[in-house]
Amino acid sequence: MILKNLSIINYKNIREANLRFSPKINCLIGNNGEGKTNLLDAVYYLSFCHSSFTSVDSQVMMHGQDFFMIDGAYESDSGNEENINVGLKRGRSKQFRRNKKAYKRFSEHIGLIPLIFVSPSDTILVDGGGDGRRKLMDIVIAQYDNLYIDALNRYNKALQQRNALLKMEAEPDVTLLDLWEQEMAEQGEIVYHKRHAFVEELIPIFQDIYQYISGLQERVSLRYVSHCQRGPLLDVIQRDRFKDRAVGYSLHGIHRDDLEMLIDDYPMKREGSQGQIKTYVLSLKLAQFDFLRRTSSNTTPLLLLDDIFDKLDSRRVEQIIKLVSGDNFGQIFITDTNREHLDKILSHSREDYKLFDVKAGEITERRHDDVQA
């Protein structure tokens, strides 16, 4: 998939932008806080119907404005044209359209424009709680499997209903508890098996990429942990119903799934340096890109790389540059404050490219010959 043209009005600090992109490499140069990440987030929005950083749409609207709009013109790998448009007026419902036709459900759009976004905040995958690691799985699987989205939504609805019953002061209706527990178990087993298959296929790709970037210096692994591994999920959920009733929420289920991130068989969170952690999450995201490229209806995802070189030694930077400059990637958007990194990428690549300066939300294209040797 290629994003050919992008129009933005009142998105974060970008008042107005009308941009034409290279089908291969697009470099965004500017200091921190100027709007580079906001541009990438607008591209992300057109793939997922929401910002990468918040689920509250009003928070991405420029301060003092009453609406925002993003419009993207795409070309698929097979040459088909797609126009995606989103607009929101303050106090009204969001409108999301494909080729001028509004979606009935936003979930229908997920997967049309596959995308992987790598950002500095990804280190929370190692340092933070399980929510982020579950989201990591959900974002990729949802882009190629609509049944997964449906099962996950049904599970979450049943979980919400069961928790509401557990919080009641009076004794809840046992028949209703049974009903929602059965729904949780049925949908949860579907989610578990799809997550398990995804992780098992992802691991060797991830390890190969990490070893390439690190120069075989460390051995990393990834382990999927789920309550489904303790037996039939319905039995696991119902086994501690009394304890769940005491705390007022469900202690067991696929909403507690996690990924153990390991380096040399020890927790990455405890043993990894800043550079190792950044290499780990970058390798994981690039592995997801490779996985998605082969599973998402043979559609090459967009790759967004936001300030990925910070806290990495020069050797790892060089390996990453060689990797992303290769033929396995499609259209790339990459930001950096350091012009040297971007010049190295362009000098390694024989592909078409464009350079953009970003300053205070203003985005201007540079001349093609303004690349340092």
Side-chain angles (χ1 to χ4, degrees):
M1 187 69 75
I2 294 170
L3 175 57
K4 298 168 63 177
N5 305 306
L6 180 68
S7 296
I8 303 172
I9 299 176
N10 297 336
Y11 193 83
K12 297 187 176 181
N13 77 328
I14 303 174
R15 182 174 299 279
E16 186 173 1
N18 291 284
L19 306 167
R20 293 180 62 85
F21 295 121
S22 162
K24 292 303 295 185
I25 300 176
N26 298 276
C27 298
L28 306 167
I29 306 165
N31 294 325
N32 292 326
E34 300 291 349
K36 304 185 304 297
T37 301
N38 293 342
L39 176 61
L40 297 189
D41 193 48
V43 177
Y44 181 97
Y45 202 115
L46 290 180
S47 285
F48 292 99
C49 307
H50 60 79
S51 164
S52 173
F53 302 102
T54 178
S55 59
V56 182
D57 289 316
S58 61
Q59 293 182 1
V60 304
M61 195 179 299
M62 177 178 275
H63 294 307
Q65 300 301 314
D66 293 325
F67 77 99
F68 79 84
M69 185 276 294
I70 314 171
D71 188 276
Y74 296 83
E75 183 178 322
S76 71
D77 290 12
S78 59
N80 294 327
E81 301 286 336
E82 295 281 358
N83 178 261
I84 306 300
N85 175 277
V86 60
L88 174 68
K89 291 184 178 180
R90 198 176 298 278
R92 297 189 181 181
S93 298
K94 174 170 59 182
Q95 295 294 314
F96 210 97
R97 295 181 175 87
R98 174 186 179 186
N99 299 325
K100 299 182 179 180
K101 184 177 180 180
Y103 283 101
K104 293 181 179 179
R105 296 188 304 169
F106 295 149
S107 61
E108 297 172 0
H109 177 68
I110 308 303
L112 178 68
I113 306 166
L115 179 149
I116 294 294
F117 187 11
V118 185
S119 77
S121 63
D122 287 336
T123 55
I124 199 172
L125 294 172
V126 174
D127 299 331
D131 285 351
R133 293 184 285 274
R134 288 188 293 275
K135 183 180 178 182
L136 179 105
M137 295 186 283
D138 295 342
I139 284 177
V140 177
I141 302 173
Q143 291 185 75
Y144 66 85
D145 191 336
N146 288 332
L147 293 178
Y148 181 84
I149 302 175
D150 184 63
L152 186 60
N153 287 339
R154 288 173 179 269
Y155 176 89
N156 286 332
K157 179 181 177 181
L159 172 65
Q160 184 180 33
Q161 296 294 330
R162 182 178 191 263
N163 284 347
L165 290 173
L166 293 173
K167 290 183 175 71
M168 294 176 59
E169 292 187 12
E171 278 302 309
D173 188 318
V174 175
T175 302
L176 281 178
L177 270 177
D178 287 340
L179 178 66
W180 293 120
E181 288 167 351
Q182 289 169 11
E183 178 74 353
M184 283 176 63
E186 181 179 345
Q187 303 304 325
E189 294 276 6
I190 294 172
V191 170
Y192 165 73
H193 287 296
K194 291 181 182 294
R195 284 178 176 173
H196 181 267
F198 163 68
V199 173
E200 288 300 303
E201 191 168 345
L202 186 75
I203 287 172
I205 305 170
F206 156 64
Q207 290 174 325
D208 287 346
I209 292 174
Y210 187 97
Q211 289 177 347
Y212 177 84
I213 295 174
S214 68
L216 304 175
Q217 287 197 0
E218 306 104 17
R219 181 169 53 89
V220 295
S221 56
L222 190 66
R223 186 180 301 141
Y224 176 39
V225 180
S226 175
H227 290 147
C228 288
Q229 294 158 348
R230 300 181 181 180
L233 186 54
L234 182 60
D235 292 347
V236 175
I237 292 171
Q238 293 184 335
R239 192 177 301 153
D240 283 326
R241 184 190 279 179
F242 182 78
K243 187 182 296 184
D244 291 356
R245 174 76 172 128
V247 298
Y249 56 87
S250 301
L251 292 168
H252 297 89
I254 55 98
H255 61 288
R256 305 298 293 268
D257 284 2
D258 209 342
L259 290 171
E260 292 183 355
M261 298 182 169
L262 307 170
I263 181 167
D264 296 329
D265 294 326
Y266 294 99
M268 174 63 80
K269 181 177 181 178
R270 189 182 71 208
E271 300 292 330
S273 67
Q274 286 185 317
Q276 288 170 332
I277 290 173
K278 189 146 190 177
T279 304
Y280 192 100
V281 296
L282 174 62
S283 300
L284 196 54
K285 287 294 190 77
L286 293 180
Q288 290 178 316
F289 175 93
D290 186 78
F291 181 92
L292 204 54
R293 179 172 58 88
R294 291 182 287 106
T295 56
S296 187
S297 302
N298 296 316
T299 300
T300 305
L302 305 181
L303 180 62
L304 313 185
L305 304 174
D306 187 22
D307 191 22
I308 63 171
F309 300 115
D310 184 42
K311 296 182 176 66
L312 294 175
D313 59 55
S314 59
R315 182 179 51 77
R316 295 191 186 215
V317 168
E318 187 72 18
Q319 290 299 92
I320 294 168
I321 288 170
K322 290 178 182 178
L323 187 63
V324 301
S325 301
D327 298 330
N328 292 330
F329 295 92
Q331 189 179 34
I332 300 174
F333 296 82
I334 182 166
T335 78
D336 207 294
T337 58
N338 187 334
R339 175 68 188 274
E340 181 183 351
H341 292 150
L342 299 181
D343 285 332
K344 284 183 178 180
I345 289 176
L346 297 178
S347 67
H348 276 81
S349 177
R350 300 181 301 273
E351 303 289 354
D352 182 55
Y353 67 86
K354 284 194 175 187
L355 286 163
F356 299 89
D357 285 307
V358 185
K359 186 174 182 180
E362 295 285 334
I363 305 161
T364 55
E365 184 178 347
R366 281 194 183 187
R367 293 182 309 175
H368 231 233
D369 57 358
D370 187 19
V371 180
Q372 299 172 5

